[in-house]
Amino acid sequence: NSVMSIGSWAFDDCSSLTSITIPNSVMSIGSWAFDDCSSLTTITIGSGVKTIGKSAFEYCSSLEEITIPDNIKEIGEGAFYILNYTGEAQRRCEKITKVRDSADQATIDKIAAGEVVERPSSVVKELVENAIDAEATKIQIIIKDAGRTSIQVIDNGKGMSETDARMAFERHATSKIKTASDLFNLRTMGFRGEALPSIASISHVELKTRQAEKDTGVLLELQGEIVRQEVVSCPKGTSFMVKNLFYNVPARRKFLKSNNTESRHILNEVNRVALAHPQIAFTFIHGETEIYNLPESNLKQRIVNIFGKKINQQLLPIEVHTSLANIYGFVGKAEFASKTNPQYFFVNNRFMR
């Protein structure tokens, strides 16, 4: 009980560990402290712990129960990131919800939010993918201060009913799957119902939404929970406004990079989703500057609209049909190749690294 901190990589790859009780004297758990402890099923963290480092329990694929005190000040990025051994990366936030009563729901939400929302670009990605799943044909993205001050995503999709709008902020509430068998027939960008409650737990959110068949829509304002709801007049579709990102997680806000860096991450996300969906019109505005105004088009025109007219003469079409997959797209001519040229690969319209 005299140990005050557990250093980085302290128990890295201790595959025989099955349970851990961290004493109250410990104040911090270092990055990767219990990385790849693949047999670890139960963790009890003492009340003295204030910080859990980045990836502290990464790849602990057998975790079943975690006890976390309610006075935790900082939970590092990817602290409970799990990679199962089939090679399929997944964020197992459902395991984090098994936290015992020593942690309140706000603490649980912050853990899950850290898994889903790493930076402003994560919010843009999640909201734009929701707009695509709502069958939008026009999506507008407006950010201020690289997403620190506000992120707004407006679409002309299906919109939501009052009930669905409220349910959207309940964890694991999703209309995209009904049974376990639906997991093998996914056609949507998302399905777990984690993004919106995670975003709402670390920001101030305003939602306006209206279905085409309704004369009026609904307005919701959230500050960790719904604080305002009223009937409003608004266009068909949905508008999400996310303000003051990480306002209640100062450590995470502090470690955001410069505006230029965060803006670049957002631009990369916009590029990826716009290239995968040339049939959707996108507008991207940062502050008072319009970065993109991309009309509905074919794939080649979308590439030109994003990367400039000079690329038009460099593009060579490819199209291959096999019994396993259909492959199509464009590659650049060899004489224009360079180490800095970006490469984009998509599977079923999802960007692949």
Side-chain angles (χ1 to χ4, degrees):
N1 284 328
S2 61
V3 176
M4 297 186 66
S5 66
I6 298 175
S8 299
W9 291 284
F11 296 92
D12 181 37
D13 200 20
C14 291
S15 57
S16 61
L17 281 177
T18 58
S19 65
I20 295 172
T21 299
I22 297 174
N24 294 339
S25 62
V26 172
M27 299 179 65
S28 65
I29 300 172
S31 299
W32 296 281
F34 296 92
D35 179 38
D36 207 15
C37 293
S38 56
S39 300
L40 191 59
T41 60
T42 305
I43 302 169
T44 302
I45 299 176
S47 60
V49 174
K50 299 296 187 293
T51 62
I52 299 176
K54 177 179 179 180
S55 304
F57 296 93
E58 187 176 44
Y59 300 166
C60 295
S61 55
S62 299
L63 280 179
E64 294 180 356
E65 189 171 279
I66 305 169
T67 302
I68 298 178
D70 58 8
N71 58 345
I72 289 282
K73 300 298 183 183
E74 179 183 347
I75 298 174
E77 180 178 334
F80 297 95
Y81 180 82
I82 294 171
L83 180 68
N84 70 15
Y85 290 97
T86 64
E88 177 188 6
Q90 54 184 318
R91 302 191 187 279
R92 298 292 297 278
C93 292
E94 68 271 19
K95 296 211 170 189
I96 304 308
T97 63
K98 293 183 179 180
V99 176
R100 289 182 183 170
D101 290 341
S102 61
D104 60 15
Q105 188 61 42
T107 302
I108 298 169
D109 288 345
K110 288 181 184 179
I111 297 169
E115 297 297 317
V116 175
V117 185
E118 297 175 352
R119 59 196 334 148
S121 61
S122 305
V123 175
V124 172
K125 176 180 181 292
E126 298 291 350
L127 296 183
V128 170
E129 287 183 352
N130 279 349
I132 292 169
D133 286 343
E135 300 179 5
T137 59
K138 293 181 181 179
I139 299 175
Q140 188 174 22
I141 304 156
I142 305 169
I143 66 172
K144 293 182 179 180
D145 299 325
R148 284 178 167 84
T149 299
S150 68
I151 297 168
Q152 186 173 19
V153 175
I154 304 168
D155 70 63
N156 66 343
K158 292 180 178 178
M160 291 179 280
S161 67
E162 177 183 333
T163 300
D164 284 349
R166 292 181 64 94
M167 283 295 294
F169 293 97
E170 296 291 331
R171 196 167 301 284
H172 302 303
T174 177
S175 61
K176 298 174 184 179
I177 57 173
K178 301 297 183 185
T179 65
S181 62
D182 292 339
L183 293 171
F184 299 97
N185 297 284
L186 290 172
R187 295 293 183 270
T188 57
M189 299 296 289
F191 63 90
R192 294 183 302 169
E194 289 180 294
L196 292 182
S198 292
I199 292 169
S201 72
I202 53 172
S203 65
H204 298 147
V205 177
E206 179 184 282
L207 164 66
K208 291 181 182 179
T209 186
R210 180 175 73 84
Q211 296 174 303
E213 64 273 19
K214 299 292 181 64
D215 294 328
T216 58
V218 61
L219 164 69
L220 294 180
E221 288 187 8
L222 295 95
Q223 296 180 15
E225 60 183 7
I226 296 175
V227 297
R228 180 187 173 199
Q229 176 179 337
E230 61 183 53
V231 175
V232 294
S233 176
C234 60
K236 178 185 83 76
T238 300
S239 169
F240 275 101
M241 172 71 83
V242 177
K243 300 178 181 178
N244 305 320
L245 189 63
F246 300 130
Y247 78 97
N248 57 350
V249 194
R252 184 170 290 275
R253 189 175 178 91
K254 177 183 176 181
F255 283 102
L256 289 177
K257 305 300 182 184
S258 68
N259 277 6
N260 286 341
T261 299
E262 296 300 339
S263 296
R264 187 168 64 252
H265 281 288
I266 293 172
L267 183 63
N268 287 339
E269 291 294 348
V270 174
N271 283 347
R272 292 164 185 170
V273 73
L275 286 169
H277 300 276
Q279 77 283 3
I280 298 175
F282 286 89
T283 303
F284 177 33
I285 299 171
H286 187 183
E288 302 298 324
T289 305
E290 184 177 86
I291 309 298
Y292 287 147
N293 190 346
L294 305 173
E296 178 183 346
S297 64
N298 57 38
L299 177 57
K300 184 176 184 180
Q301 187 59 51
R302 178 57 56 87
I303 294 172
V304 171
N305 287 341
I306 289 176
F307 296 108
K309 294 181 180 179
K310 290 183 179 180
I311 202 173
N312 192 29
Q313 302 304 317
Q314 304 175 22
L315 297 175
L316 297 174
I318 57 171
E319 188 167 356
V320 179
H321 300 279
T322 73
S323 59
L324 294 177
N326 298 323
I327 303 171
Y328 67 93
F330 293 88
V331 296
K333 293 180 181 178
E335 57 264 34
F336 296 103
S338 74
K339 292 182 179 179
T340 59
N341 283 348
Q343 295 183 344
Y344 294 87
F345 296 92
F346 301 89
V347 177
N348 294 336
N349 291 329
R350 287 184 175 273
F351 176 76
M352 309 297 290
R353 296 185 184 277

